[in-house]
Amino acid sequence: MTTAAFLSDDAAGAAQTEVMTMAQALNSALHLAMDADSKVLLLGEDVADPIGGVLKISKGLSTKYGRDRVRPTPIAETGIIGAAVGLAMGGYKPIAEIMFMDFTTVCIDQIVNHAAKLRYMSGGHTPVPLTVRTGVGTRRFGAQHAQNLEAWFMHTPGIKVVVPSTAADAKGLLASCIDDPDPCLFVEHFDLVFTQKDEVPVGLHKVPLGKAAVRRPGEHVTVITYGTQVRNAVAAAETLAEQGISAEVIDLRTLVPLDMETVLESVERTRRAVVLHDAHTFCGPGAELAAQITETLWADLLAPVLRLGAGYSPVPFAAGLDFHPTSDDLVAAVHQLMGR
């Protein structure tokens, strides 16, 4: 099969399922993509066997497909992304692994000024079907290995930003990224990779980019979140339900494109909204969401939109100094919105 779309929508969700961790689901997506399309390549530090990536996400791929398609690289993020952009321009579908999201800053010129812009600069003649897989490790890896930088890339036209919260979504969204003709930044949270387990289609599986999921329906307040904070939001919603408050939880899944239709439909009903994320509150994704909600629904809102994110400080190593929002913080924010 060539570089044409390799996963049909007919295959989505139709396969047999089994319980997988997010790591297993991602590995399955990579195996299926490489099996279906010889133009799919993987490159990054330690991605080949026997290591198979620091989190074993690419385990078995180099043994099955060879090191011409699964290429371990030196510790040179600039070279990884530069080579991947060139491969994409040459008709391949490279998947470049940047171990920690912090290190995307080293190669941000290739991502922001080249991969994201080439289609525009060439009048649509030069697509860049590049997937950049990267991880965040909030709470455990300190100031230089745990930054949530998704807002930086949301601010850049031309690149999609994807953050899964379930194993099934991780598999389906990664497949959609690989199959997309334009560059995608795919963010995996280390807290979810081995602890998040759910039913995952065994075969080909796609989740459309730009479509949010309602994880829990509610009537009194809408919580808009993504990634690892989806767990906290659902936990807080369960606590709030015991207190007589019905909270709807929306998992964005894709930050660019942003599914504002689902968000606005929910907030129009509940008339209250909280945006929850691990990124800094200051200039974080919540600022954009709060602005769009307010601009569209200001006359209907019963209270200002609240943003709940990390404090404005480098990420501390010490657990006791952790500054990321918890489910208790969300419960308190909802009480503030409800005037209780």
Side-chain angles (χ1 to χ4, degrees):
M1 189 173 290
T2 67
T3 55
F6 63 83
L7 299 176
S8 71
D9 290 336
D10 292 340
Q16 176 187 355
T17 65
E18 67 179 46
V19 175
M20 298 184 193
T21 64
M22 185 177 285
Q24 292 168 328
L26 291 167
N27 181 266
S28 176
L30 293 172
H31 269 281
L32 289 166
M34 297 194 73
D35 193 49
D37 190 341
S38 61
K39 295 293 187 181
V40 176
L41 312 175
L42 178 65
L43 63 164
E45 298 160 18
D46 297 328
V47 295
D49 295 328
I51 297 174
V54 290
L55 299 180
K56 313 301 181 189
I57 302 297
S58 52
K59 190 74 175 177
L61 290 169
S62 68
T63 299
K64 185 174 181 180
Y65 301 104
R67 290 200 171 203
D68 285 344
R69 294 184 63 193
V70 182
R71 183 64 64 91
T73 68
I75 303 174
E77 286 79 7
T78 303
I80 294 169
I81 297 299
V85 171
L87 286 165
M89 294 174 67
Y92 290 88
K93 291 184 172 181
I95 305 165
E97 181 177 304
I98 301 297
M99 204 175 292
F100 289 88
M101 195 175 195
D102 309 68
F103 304 149
T104 59
T105 59
V106 176
C107 42
I108 201 163
D109 176 58
Q110 285 100 333
I111 297 175
V112 169
N113 288 327
H114 298 279
K117 300 296 189 297
L118 284 167
R119 177 186 284 279
Y120 295 85
M121 294 167 64
S122 65
H125 294 292
T126 309
V128 181
L130 162 67
T131 301
V132 179
R133 288 183 46 242
T134 191
V136 292
T138 313
R139 298 182 179 86
R140 288 188 296 162
F141 299 113
Q144 297 174 316
H145 293 76
Q147 295 181 85
N148 288 78
L149 303 176
E150 53 267 31
W152 292 22
F153 297 96
M154 291 174 69
H155 194 64
T156 300
I159 184 168
K160 298 178 176 70
V161 182
V162 180
V163 190
S165 71
T166 72
D169 275 3
K171 179 172 181 176
L173 291 166
L174 180 58
S176 293
C177 286
I178 296 169
D179 209 25
D180 197 275
D182 294 311
C184 297
L185 180 71
F186 188 87
V187 184
E188 303 157 16
H189 200 291
F190 296 148
D191 285 353
L192 297 175
V193 167
F194 295 112
T195 62
Q196 179 64 39
K197 294 182 180 179
D198 44 86
E199 290 282 347
V200 179
V202 174
L204 299 177
H205 172 55
K206 282 175 69 178
V207 172
L209 304 178
K211 184 61 181 173
V214 177
R215 297 300 181 196
R216 182 187 174 100
E219 301 174 358
H220 299 141
V221 60
T222 300
V223 179
I224 305 135
T225 187
Y226 58 90
T228 189
Q229 283 293 350
V230 173
R231 284 181 175 179
N232 282 340
V234 172
E238 292 171 356
T239 300
L240 290 164
E242 295 171 357
Q243 301 166 353
I245 299 174
S246 174
E248 181 150 298
V249 177
I250 293 178
D251 178 0
L252 293 171
R253 304 199 287 196
T254 305
L255 299 177
V256 177
L258 195 53
D259 183 4
M260 287 305 300
E261 181 179 354
T262 296
V263 171
L264 293 173
E265 185 280 328
S266 175
V267 179
E268 189 172 24
R269 282 188 294 102
T270 64
R271 306 176 71 183
R272 301 177 181 88
V274 182
V275 188
L276 172 69
H277 52 60
D278 274 337
H280 299 300
T281 304
F282 181 75
C283 287
E288 177 62 29
L289 281 150
Q292 290 202 36
I293 293 168
T294 302
E295 287 170 359
T296 306
L297 299 173
W298 67 273
D300 299 315
L301 294 174
L302 296 176
V305 180
L306 289 186
R307 295 172 292 148
L308 203 54
Y312 197 58
S313 156
V315 181
F317 274 107
L321 298 177
D322 184 42
F323 61 179
H324 295 92
T326 66
S327 59
D328 289 340
D329 296 329
L330 179 57
V331 169
V334 170
H335 278 280
Q336 179 183 340
L337 274 181
M338 302 291 292
R340 298 189 178 183

